[in-house]
Every structure is written in C-alpha cells, then in structure tokens.
Amino acid sequence: MTRDGAAAKIGLVHLGPGAFFRAFNAVYTDEAMAKAGGDWGILAVSLRSALARDELKAQGCAYTSVTLAPEGRQARVIGSVSDVLVAPEDPEAVIAAMADPDVHIVSLTITEKGYCHNPATGRMNADHPDIAHDLAALDAPRSAPGFIVAALARRKDAGLRPFTVLSCDNLPSNGALARGVVTEFARRVDADLALWIEDHGRFPATMVDRITPATTEADIDALEDAAGYRDPACVVHEPFRQWVIEDDFAGPRPAWEMAGAQMVASVEAHELMKLRCLNGTHSTLAYLGYLAGYETIAETTADADFARLCERLWADEIVPTLTPPEGEDLPAYCAALLDRYRNREIRHRTWQIAMDGSQKLPQRILGTIRDNLAAGRVPEGLCLAVAAWMRYVGGVDEHGKAIDVRDPLADTLRAASAGADGAGDKVGALLAQREVFDAALADDARFREAVTSAFERLETQGARASVAEYVR
C-alpha cells in the first residue's frame, strides 16, 4: 500500500511507535484532523528498533487499522503519521524535531520500563544505565527522559514555550510520573531549567484503553486477502476504545474530543478504575492462565472458573477500593470487560501480557492489595495472582518446561526463586525484591501468609485447581 495524498504538517512528536500507538493515538489524531482540521501530523520516533521505520516509510507512513469485531474484520487506512525517525541513528535530528516551534506536544507510549524509574517509589532511577549515559552525554541521549530534557533545554534557550508531555502508558498518575522523572533529570543538568519546566511545563494525565494484540503474519495475510494489498505495518485491535485526558496543555492540541476522547479536569478516578479493573484482572489471567496452559485471554475466560475468578475479584476485592468515576457504572463496566475478554477474534496471548511483570505488578495489583489490607480485608484472589506471578518468574511451568520470562529483572527474580527452598523461602526471597515490593507490604504478615498459602497450592494442585478452589 502507499499513502494517498500529502502527509500532514508535523505538530506532534510521539515516542514509541508500536502497535498500541498505531491502534490508538494515531487513530484518534487521524479522526480529529478529518473532523476539525489542524496541522497535527505525527513524527513517530523509535527509541530502539528500526522496524517501525522500515515498515512505515516504505508505504509513505500510511498503514491499516483493523478492528477485530465478533461480526468480522473492518479495515481503515490511517494517515496521521507523517514521518518516522530511529533515535539511535540520529539523536540530533530527534532533538531538533522536538525543539521545533511548530511542535506542541510530545506524547509517549514507551511502556513502564521506558520511564527509567523505580516502580516501587515512582522516582527516577539515577543508576539506570540510560539515565547515567544521558546525564553524561545529553547531546546524544538514549532514554525518553533524556530526549525530552535535551529538547526542552533547547526550547528554553531559544525563548520558546515548552511542549506538553503527554504520557499515554498504563501507569497510575502517569502525568505526575512523567513530570517527576523529567524534572528530576533536568535538576541534575541545570537547576534553572528544572524550575522553568516546573513553572511552564504541562504533563497532563491520561487513561487509555484498547486491547491490541500483537499483529501476526496471519493478520497481514487476512488483510491482503480482503483488501487486495499487503501492509506489514498494519495493526489489529478490539472495537472498544476509551481515552480520558486531563485538559491541561502548554499550547494548542488536536480536537481529540471530536473523535470521542473525554477531556476532563481530573483523570484519577477513571485511571484507577481501568488500572485495577482491567489491567489488574488482565495480569491475573495472564499468569494463572499461562500456568494453566491457556494461550490467550479468550481461551482462559472460556473456562467458567476463570470467568468467575474475574467476577469475584471485581465484586469482592477491586470495586470496593474504588470511587466511581463520573458517568461510569462500575458493575456494568466490569461486565463489559468480561465480554471484551471473551472476544475470540482478539488473540491476546497470556505470555504477551505477562511481560515486564515486575514493572506492572505495583501499579496493577499491589495498590489494590494495600487498600484491602488497610480496610481489614485479606484479598485472597489478588494474593493468588501475586503467587502466580512468583511461580511464573521462577521460569519453569507446571510440566517442568522452561518459561521464556521477558522482564527487566528476569535474571534476578529467577535467581532469587532458585536459591530458596520451599514455598515460604521462595515467597520471602521474592518479597525481598524492593524494586517490586515496598517493605511495609512485604512485611505485612497477612499478605505474606496469604501469598505463601497460594504459592503452596499452585505448587501442589496447579493453577486450574487453585482457581476453582478460590471461586467455589
């Protein structure tokens, strides 16, 4: 396929042009420009791989968004991406683009680990190798915080206002996290720069939601059969989408509300609802489902006990910790989630969702556990989810086969598990990992006992039986 017509003038730089960005941010922006106009072409920047550039540039940066609806596939060409850069090939070009006065927003989908922070504290990890490199060589950064600070410094020197930094990752208070990491990095570079960012910069929080499984060769072949062209950059996703954005920008922005985005004064309640109801049960299903031998979320929730697991978690352990967001019916929201999980057109692999668990667990599950414990409740189901994560990162499944654990702490976690004997020692060794568990939670006897008991059941009975025991 090729682009039909000229690309839009660039007004937005996006770091992390993966499948989710192409199925979500770029789609909203494409629709917003179609309905309200504006120069909001996107310069997509890959901080690592050249794959997205190689796929997109070959077809003028246009690509196909494929909705996987129960009634069939629906394809639409997206043209909002105007150009793609690979940061390691030319970091100066990326900094210059972000410093361009026509660029008003730098958005991010870089996953939890891209913020180079400590998930347990939310603070920048000054010992992160990319952060250490960037502090020493800010003219050729590697990390997202490094590029943002380098570009903001250039804008300040040029007398320009800062761009808005728009985090679109599944992290609690993602705007505050981005602000904290960026300003802490800037403070180590130039105290006046940090003050300028604090005074004039904007870091709105967002809540994003659209299940986007990895595109397969079969998806590409199916699109070619249906549309008559081959698009290796195509993305597949569920019909549902939701984007809630704190309306606090340093300058102009696309009319995303014309494409259905919710512009609000505070995202916090929506964000917590999504992180705990969707992401928390998604991760729970990923670890327990993988251990039970299920490849996808749809297969996992086709098992009545696993569907009931979600319902029990929502009713007994998750929803009681939430304040309903304005306009949301929490029981109806959860029922719709289960319908989304059961969509067999979405092949969202349990192994894929299980990636980077050490980064995800604190946000998706541990906060909910803390709130339950503070209310005098021991959340047995969520403790079972933590125990399943511990079994998973041990690197061996229930049949003795190796698990390909993809996690920044994979080697550390595997060594901690392997170096301990018995369920109690293994649980203790993993609870001692301060990058994941804070001391107060790890030392809570109720939590430790519940996780140890669940871990023992997983070892002796397996995941399916453990889930069945919890829901009955």
Side-chain angles (χ1 to χ4, degrees):
M1 68 169 296
T2 57
R3 176 184 292 277
D4 182 14
K9 183 180 177 181
I10 291 171
L12 192 156
V13 173
H14 183 86
L15 306 183
F20 183 79
F21 157 74
R22 280 179 265 168
F24 193 82
N25 303 63
V27 175
Y28 271 98
T29 303
D30 192 74
E31 293 180 13
M33 283 195 291
K35 293 180 178 180
D39 295 323
W40 293 110
I42 302 170
L43 170 63
V45 177
S46 174
L47 295 174
R48 296 287 185 269
S49 169
L51 179 61
R53 187 272 314 277
D54 295 344
E55 290 178 342
L56 287 164
K57 291 279 278 189
Q59 48 200 47
C61 295
Y63 66 93
T64 313
S65 161
V66 181
T67 301
L68 302 178
E71 61 272 18
R73 298 186 172 217
Q74 302 156 7
R76 178 171 177 264
V77 174
I78 304 300
S80 55
V81 178
S82 297
D83 200 2
V84 186
L85 291 177
V86 181
E89 294 179 358
D90 194 349
E92 168 56 30
V94 176
I95 296 170
M98 294 166 67
D100 189 298
D102 289 329
V103 167
H104 302 288
I105 298 169
V106 172
S107 54
L108 313 169
T109 52
I110 53 176
T111 76
E112 291 89 346
K113 59 188 174 184
Y115 292 83
C116 305
H117 72 302
N118 183 331
T121 65
R123 297 289 300 278
M124 184 185 79
N125 178 6
D127 296 326
H128 191 288
D130 288 347
I131 295 294
H133 169 275
D134 292 356
L135 287 170
L138 195 56
D139 57 335
R142 295 175 182 169
S143 70
F147 274 106
I148 290 169
V149 171
L152 286 173
R154 193 166 298 186
R155 292 176 79 105
K156 177 177 180 290
D157 291 343
L160 300 171
R161 63 184 171 189
F163 47 71
T164 296
V165 178
L166 187 68
S167 171
C168 300
D169 284 293
N170 282 318
L171 293 161
S173 303
N174 54 13
L177 172 64
R179 175 188 287 276
V181 170
V182 167
T183 53
E184 187 170 350
F185 187 106
R187 198 170 294 115
R188 292 170 183 255
V189 174
D190 180 344
D192 288 340
L193 173 62
L195 287 172
W196 178 77
I197 294 171
E198 289 175 345
D199 289 343
H200 303 288
R202 293 294 182 271
F203 298 78
T206 67
M207 188 274 270
V208 300
D209 189 2
R210 173 169 260 185
I211 296 172
T212 307
T215 303
T216 66
E217 282 297 318
D219 293 320
I220 297 171
D221 292 341
L223 175 62
E224 184 175 21
D225 291 342
Y229 61 82
R230 191 161 188 83
D231 181 1
C234 73
V235 289
V236 296
H237 50 76
E238 66 171 332
F240 180 90
R241 69 182 189 187
Q242 185 178 19
W243 196 5
V244 185
I245 307 171
E246 180 186 3
D247 199 359
D248 182 24
F249 286 74
R253 62 168 176 81
W256 284 313
E257 66 271 26
M258 298 292 289
Q262 299 164 251
M263 309 303 299
V264 300
S266 174
V267 172
E268 185 176 352
H270 286 89
E271 172 189 82
L272 201 61
M273 173 189 74
K274 191 259 181 173
L275 275 168
R276 294 189 174 186
C277 293
L278 188 152
N279 298 123
T281 53
H282 233 197
S283 288
T284 298
L285 292 170
Y287 296 114
L288 287 165
Y290 183 97
L291 293 173
Y294 293 122
E295 184 180 2
T296 69
I297 293 297
E299 290 174 6
T300 307
T301 51
D303 182 321
D305 285 338
F306 281 80
R308 178 63 180 147
L309 167 67
C310 291
E311 293 171 337
R312 280 282 306 277
L313 288 176
W314 287 322
D316 297 346
E317 301 182 14
I318 297 176
V319 169
T321 70
L322 299 174
T323 299
E326 183 178 354
E328 296 284 356
D329 178 330
L330 287 174
Y333 177 80
C334 294
L337 283 178
L338 191 53
D339 286 340
R340 293 166 63 192
Y341 292 166
R342 286 168 164 160
N343 182 355
R344 289 189 171 274
E345 293 296 316
I346 300 290
R347 288 192 57 78
H348 210 173
R349 298 173 64 195
T350 52
W351 176 79
Q352 179 191 6
I353 300 164
M355 290 180 181
D356 302 329
S358 68
Q359 308 287 294
K360 295 173 179 176
L361 213 67
Q363 290 80 29
R364 298 183 173 197
I365 292 176
L366 300 187
T368 318
I369 289 174
R370 286 190 201 92
D371 285 353
N372 275 281
L373 292 172
R377 301 184 298 265
V378 178
E380 300 288 348
L382 291 174
C383 290
L384 174 61
V386 173
W389 171 78
M390 291 179 170
R391 280 279 286 157
Y392 182 89
V393 300
V396 180
D397 71 12
E398 294 181 358
H399 303 289
K401 296 180 180 178
I403 301 173
D404 180 11
V405 178
R406 301 289 180 91
D407 191 287
L409 300 179
D411 293 341
T412 300
L413 297 171
R414 186 179 297 111
S417 179
D421 292 324
D425 288 344
K426 287 182 182 293
V427 169
L430 290 167
L431 289 179
Q433 305 303 311
R434 287 295 169 263
E435 297 92 336
V436 184
F437 300 95
D438 65 82
L441 180 61
D443 293 340
D444 189 299
R446 298 166 297 168
F447 174 61
R448 183 180 289 260
E449 289 169 7
V451 173
T452 301
S453 176
F455 191 94
E456 289 172 344
R457 293 196 303 276
L458 288 170
E459 283 194 318
T460 57
Q461 302 173 192
R464 292 190 191 188
S466 296
V467 170
E469 182 175 318
Y470 169 71
V471 300
R472 291 174 184 164

